[in-house]
């Protein structure tokens, strides 16, 4: 009986949070590093379904770094990273798109559909949702940067009760172009800015952002985040993520969270409990209040 009362208390305690987030758009970046096994993916889908049932409008952007790396290795195509960004040759671009749009995206859509949610898997190519330009072709090859998000298709899906699951790929500018590989963290950020999302949550494979001693930093402002980046405490895949967080906060998104996608139900812990988990990135004014 006591156990059941505890469950009821947890539900009641979450009322203020449910009220706060109801009807709001929350962008969730599901990192490839947090997709390590089937249980994690299934739990992720269930958490998103709960958010959806509670009246929140989730928009999912997925990465796929580790799966892309192993497929490139199988095909003997070199993988090289500069500041956490994968240098993408024409050959590698085909594999990137195949893994992201053909494998990971389809699998996530299946999980959602399996539990009765109307999920629609799309990439930035669909309805020309992303407009992009090369980041720096000589250095990165077919890595793109978003110049514009055309939000019409996204808003239509959200307003009609669909959950969009987005693969971070965009068209190139000519018929022979293989398309652009866009870092999924920056995609999450550009989408959040374009649709005025309430917040962005990045699910990854660390507790959050760790300091020089390896301890979790609970709260960061863009100014402090830049210091950690400049002093090389933040490296590799965390660089594009923190750049995306800073850009979100500097462009009107109220809060951004980096949380551990390996912890079951980490999204629910972040959204519906008072302390939250992971690292939150907020602006200077919020940090003083
Ligand atoms: N200061 C830091 N704190 C935490 N993680 C850091 C830090 N600096 C670098 N990292 C690295 O960043 C990694 C997370 O970025 P990564 O790109 O690997 O994952 P992801 O973005 O979740 O997945 P994907 O790129 O496949 O979507 C961590 O596993 C860690 O190795
Ligand atoms: Mg990454």
């Amino acid at each position: 009986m006591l156990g059941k009362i505890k469950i009821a208390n947890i539900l009641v305690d979450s009322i203020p949070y449910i009220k706060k987030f109801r009807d709001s758009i929350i962008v969730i970046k599901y990192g490839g590093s947090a997709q390590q096994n089937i249980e994690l993916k299934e739990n992720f889908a269930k958490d998103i379904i709960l958010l959806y049932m509670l009246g929140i409008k989730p928009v999912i952007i997925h990465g796929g770094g580790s799966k892309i790396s192993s497929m490139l290795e199988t095909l003997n195509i070199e993988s090289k990273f500069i500041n956490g960004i994968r240098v993408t040759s024409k050959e590698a671009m085909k594999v990137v798109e195949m893994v992201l749009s053909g494998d990971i995206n389809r699998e996530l859509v299946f999980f959602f559909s399996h539990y009765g949610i109307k999920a629609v898997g799309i990439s930035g190519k669909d309805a020309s949702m992303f407009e992009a330009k090369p980041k720096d072709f000589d250095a990165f090859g077919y890595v793109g940067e978003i110049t514009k998000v055309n939000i019409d298709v996204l808003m239509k899906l959200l307003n009609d009760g669909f959950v969009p699951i987005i693969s971070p790929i965009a068209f190139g500018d000519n018929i022979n172009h293989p398309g652009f590989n866009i870092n999924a963290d920056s995609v999450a950020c550009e989408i959040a800015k374009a649709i005025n999302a309430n917040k962005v949550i990045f699910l990854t494979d660390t507790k959050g952002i760790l300091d020089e001693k390896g301890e979790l930093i609970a709260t960061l402002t863009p100014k402090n985040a830049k210091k950690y980046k400049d002093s090389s405490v933040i490296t590799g895949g965390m660089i594009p993520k923190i750049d995306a967080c800073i850009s979100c906060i500097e462009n009107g998104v109220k809060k951004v969270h980096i949380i551990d996608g390996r912890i079951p139900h980490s999204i629910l812990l972040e959204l519906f409990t008072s302390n939250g988990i992971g690292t939150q990135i907020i602006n200077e004014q919020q940090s003083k209040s």
Side-chain angles (χ1 to χ4, degrees):
M1 190 63 180
L2 267 178
K4 285 181 182 164
I5 293 172
K6 208 172 161 193
I7 294 171
N9 282 335
I10 292 170
L11 286 172
V12 170
D13 285 348
S14 64
I15 290 173
Y17 303 102
I18 295 172
K19 233 170 124 182
K20 185 170 158 194
F21 297 125
R22 203 172 165 77
D23 292 326
S24 62
I25 301 174
I26 297 189
V27 172
I28 296 153
K29 152 69 193 323
Y30 188 35
S33 55
Q35 302 166 17
Q36 288 149 358
N37 59 55
I38 204 111
E39 287 79 24
L40 271 181
K41 288 185 261 193
E42 205 175 357
N43 276 332
F44 169 76
K46 284 182 187 166
D47 289 353
I48 301 299
I49 288 162
L50 183 61
L51 301 189
Y52 175 87
M53 299 287 187
L54 292 171
I56 294 169
K57 294 176 177 168
V59 175
I60 316 297
I61 292 95
H62 62 83
S66 46
K67 234 177 181 176
I68 295 168
S69 293
S70 59
M71 184 57 85
L72 288 172
E73 204 183 313
T74 307
L75 298 170
N76 276 322
I77 301 171
E78 190 199 9
S79 268
K80 193 177 124 199
F81 288 85
I82 302 175
N83 291 335
I85 302 284
R86 184 189 303 277
V87 177
T88 308
S89 64
K90 197 168 195 172
E91 217 186 356
M93 184 60 218
K94 287 278 167 211
V95 178
V96 167
E97 182 165 26
M98 193 176 78
V99 173
L100 289 173
S101 299
D103 180 2
I104 296 175
N105 191 281
R106 298 293 88 203
E107 191 187 29
L108 288 174
V109 170
F110 168 71
F111 278 123
F112 281 76
S113 304
H114 181 71
Y115 289 103
I117 284 285
K118 299 188 292 179
V120 176
I122 53 175
S123 85
K125 286 183 171 179
D126 289 284
S128 299
M129 183 165 55
F130 305 157
E131 291 176 28
K133 65 174 175 50
K135 184 176 173 62
D136 171 351
F137 189 81
D138 292 340
F140 294 99
Y142 292 94
V143 172
E145 271 178 358
I146 292 184
T147 52
K148 191 176 173 207
V149 180
N150 297 309
I151 62 168
D152 48 350
V153 68
L154 213 47
M155 295 318 290
K156 273 202 168 71
L157 290 174
L158 289 174
N159 291 335
D160 287 346
F162 294 100
V163 175
I165 303 185
I166 302 167
S167 161
I169 301 286
F171 279 131
D173 55 7
N174 66 67
I175 209 90
N176 295 312
H177 197 290
F180 285 119
N181 172 22
I182 306 181
N183 177 271
D185 300 326
S186 73
V187 168
C189 167
E190 292 308 318
I191 287 181
K193 291 194 286 192
I195 58 176
N196 290 321
N198 179 292
K199 61 168 75 205
V200 187
I201 302 176
F202 292 90
L203 268 82
T204 186
D205 65 347
T206 69
K207 284 193 278 180
I209 298 189
L210 309 178
D211 66 13
E212 55 284 358
K213 292 185 201 130
E215 277 163 24
L216 177 70
I217 305 169
T219 301
L220 265 181
T221 60
K223 200 170 145 196
N224 291 336
K226 282 175 196 160
K227 277 190 203 152
Y228 281 112
K229 199 181 137 191
D230 292 344
S231 58
S232 297
V233 172
I234 290 174
T235 59
M238 202 47 84
I239 295 176
K241 212 179 300 300
I242 199 66
D243 285 344
C245 295
I246 294 170
S247 174
C248 281
I249 294 298
E250 290 180 342
N251 288 281
V253 178
K254 279 191 217 95
K255 260 188 194 179
V256 180
H257 306 265
I258 298 176
I259 64 172
D260 195 339
R262 299 166 305 176
I263 299 177
H265 312 301
S266 51
I267 298 179
L268 305 183
L269 294 171
E270 176 53 55
L271 287 175
F272 300 124
T273 61
S274 54
N275 294 329
I277 56 166
T279 302
Q280 63 168 0
I281 296 94
I282 52 177
N283 66 32
E284 297 289 335
Q285 288 95 314
Q286 286 170 304
S287 73
K288 282 171 194 147
S289 61

